[in-house]
Amino acid sequence: MIKILFVCHGNICRSPMAEIFMKDDCLKHGVAGHYYIDSAAVSTEEIYHGVGNPVYPPAKAELRRHGLSCEGKRARRMTRLDYGQYDLLIGMDSSNISWMKQIAGGDPDGKMFRLLDFTDEKRDVADPWYTDDFEATWNDIVKGCTALREILTFHNHLVLASGSPRRKELLEQIGYELTIDPSDAEEQVDIEKLNSEASELADNDFPALYVQKLSSLKAEDVARRHLSDFILGADTVVAFGDAILGKPKSQADAKIMLSMLSGKTHTVLTGVTILRTFEGKIVYRKTFSECTEVKFYDFTEREIDEYIATGEPMDKAGSYGIQGRGAVLVQGIHGDYNNVVGLPIAAVHKILMQ
């Protein structure tokens, strides 16, 4: 679900008009369930003793003229917490953006935009409080919201920031049109910093944060070359105890990994980052990870050597490929099989088609 917060000065004119129109527009296009939309103010001018004023009567009348109701909508002020809870924070003018940054403590994730930045006009939405032209403001809001919905709608073309033939096959299997552009980013993360971040989480899930970070690095690297596209970056690792097992560096390394996993249960984690770029800016980002448990049979040293001799383990996380000859190693799995292959395709599809 994409979460959007429309923001203006008092939250009784432009931002509630944008909220109400966007909700109706998404409903008409059959995607209402894929968005959460709200509005807020950057000031407290329309909020008294904790109670916000209703929508300004002329704005309410303009909405009514288009068959829309804003009954029950009252002004509320944007909070610092809103920044982390919304994917996009859309201001009506440049002043709104400045105030939003003060409230949120900046815009480190690049979530703030003016509404008409998504159109070819790139200007402020005029404030009808001063112009008294609610129809002109309505037309601006329709233009901006329609453009925004279109930008966030996936039209079946995806840039894959990976050279993995397995990920390519999975995406093509469900009918996606792909541009393959493998990332040149170094697969390196600040382990100490990531461990610190993981320790602050309830589940202390370092492997999940690790693959999410790697997927973000890949997607962001490729995003610089694709200015208006949907981009997918992914990275898969095997986790066993405190160890993260990536691709083996040598046959001896592969043998160590496979011997370690023999007869045991391990987890396969794939981190996925989906970006939507527009005119060179990232306007939407979704990062997540999927985890699948895999149980191996006990196997002998000879069986390990024979499998390594096939060459299959050398470009696989954990030194095996479940979709290839490595299938004979697997006693059972719990979770998404395609995640072990290299991409949780069902979860990806659900996000892209929302």
Side-chain angles (χ1 to χ4, degrees):
M1 178 175 285
I2 300 175
K3 296 183 177 182
I4 300 172
L5 184 68
F6 292 108
V7 182
C8 69
H9 184 72
N11 193 214
I12 62 167
C13 284
R14 291 174 293 172
S15 59
M17 289 171 70
E19 174 194 346
I20 301 302
F21 170 78
M22 188 78 172
K23 286 178 176 177
D24 182 67
D25 185 57
C26 289
L27 181 64
K28 289 177 178 176
H29 285 83
V31 294
H34 303 148
Y35 290 87
Y36 179 84
I37 302 165
D38 199 0
S39 62
V42 292
S43 76
T44 58
E45 288 183 10
E46 300 295 336
I47 303 169
Y48 300 93
H49 304 293
V51 179
N53 283 333
V55 175
Y56 189 43
K60 185 183 295 187
E62 184 67 27
L63 287 167
R64 191 183 306 117
R65 194 165 72 86
H66 298 279
L68 300 175
S69 172
C70 57
E71 290 304 319
K73 179 66 184 178
R74 287 183 172 272
R76 80 165 181 91
R77 189 171 190 260
M78 174 186 163
T79 71
R80 193 181 188 92
L81 292 178
D82 284 328
Y83 190 82
Q85 294 172 347
Y86 288 88
D87 298 302
L88 284 166
L89 293 91
I90 311 299
M92 299 296 115
D93 58 42
S94 300
S95 175
N96 299 157
I97 300 295
S98 297
W99 280 101
M100 289 157 65
K101 288 180 179 178
Q102 289 187 41
I103 293 169
D107 183 20
D109 298 326
K111 296 181 179 182
M112 296 180 183
F113 298 88
R114 290 183 306 175
L115 180 59
L116 290 179
D117 284 343
F118 301 106
T119 73
D120 56 1
E121 297 195 18
K122 309 291 187 293
R123 60 175 173 79
D124 293 347
V125 174
D127 190 342
W129 187 268
Y130 300 104
T131 67
D132 201 33
D133 190 344
F134 284 82
E135 182 178 2
T137 297
W138 169 263
N139 291 336
D140 282 349
I141 286 170
V142 170
K143 184 181 297 183
C145 290
T146 302
L148 176 59
R149 176 185 48 75
E150 179 63 19
I151 288 166
L152 295 175
T153 299
F154 179 62
H155 292 291
N156 222 46
H157 178 263
L158 184 67
V159 177
L160 177 59
S162 169
S164 165
R166 294 165 294 282
R167 293 184 183 126
K168 176 177 181 291
E169 181 180 352
L170 286 169
L171 290 164
E172 289 180 337
Q173 173 183 311
I174 59 172
Y176 287 4
E177 298 174 4
L178 300 179
T179 296
I180 308 299
D181 188 1
S183 169
D184 299 323
E186 292 280 339
E187 293 192 10
Q188 296 179 355
V189 298
D190 187 331
I191 300 295
E192 184 175 334
K193 180 181 178 182
L194 212 59
N195 260 318
S196 176
E197 292 176 8
S199 66
E200 296 176 1
L201 300 178
D203 55 7
N204 192 23
D205 196 349
F206 172 78
L209 283 179
Y210 179 80
V211 289
Q212 288 175 26
K213 182 63 175 178
L214 288 177
S215 73
S216 292
L217 289 174
K218 292 179 178 181
E220 289 168 2
D221 173 53
V222 171
R224 288 191 284 269
R225 302 193 287 270
H226 297 271
L227 305 185
S228 292
D229 277 297
F230 278 91
I231 299 150
L232 185 146
D235 197 89
T236 302
V237 299
V238 168
F240 181 69
D242 294 330
I244 291 180
L245 310 180
K247 298 174 184 178
K249 298 176 181 178
S250 64
Q251 289 190 346
D253 194 25
K255 188 169 184 176
I256 291 171
M257 290 188 193
L258 291 168
S259 300
M260 183 189 305
L261 300 177
S262 176
K264 305 292 196 310
T265 298
H266 61 271
T267 56
V268 178
L269 297 101
T270 298
V272 178
T273 294
I274 296 169
L275 303 178
R276 175 56 161 118
T277 56
F278 175 69
E279 297 182 346
K281 297 180 180 179
I282 296 171
V283 298
Y284 174 69
R285 171 193 301 267
K286 178 69 174 180
T287 298
F288 69 98
S289 59
E290 189 79 20
C291 179
T292 304
E293 291 184 350
V294 181
K295 172 68 183 297
F296 270 5
Y297 283 109
D298 281 306
F299 31 85
T300 65
E301 185 175 355
R302 177 181 175 181
E303 288 173 320
I304 293 174
D305 290 339
E306 288 176 349
Y307 179 50
I308 291 174
T310 68
E312 183 176 274
M314 303 315 297
D315 66 339
K316 310 289 192 302
S319 301
Y320 75 97
I322 195 171
Q323 76 285 357
R325 298 186 184 189
V328 300
L329 308 175
V330 179
Q331 183 175 348
I333 71 168
H334 180 70
D336 185 348
Y337 168 84
N338 289 321
N339 183 54
V340 186
V341 175
L343 192 67
I345 190 66
V348 167
H349 183 68
K350 184 175 181 181
I351 290 169
L352 284 170
M353 299 306 293
Q354 59 187 353

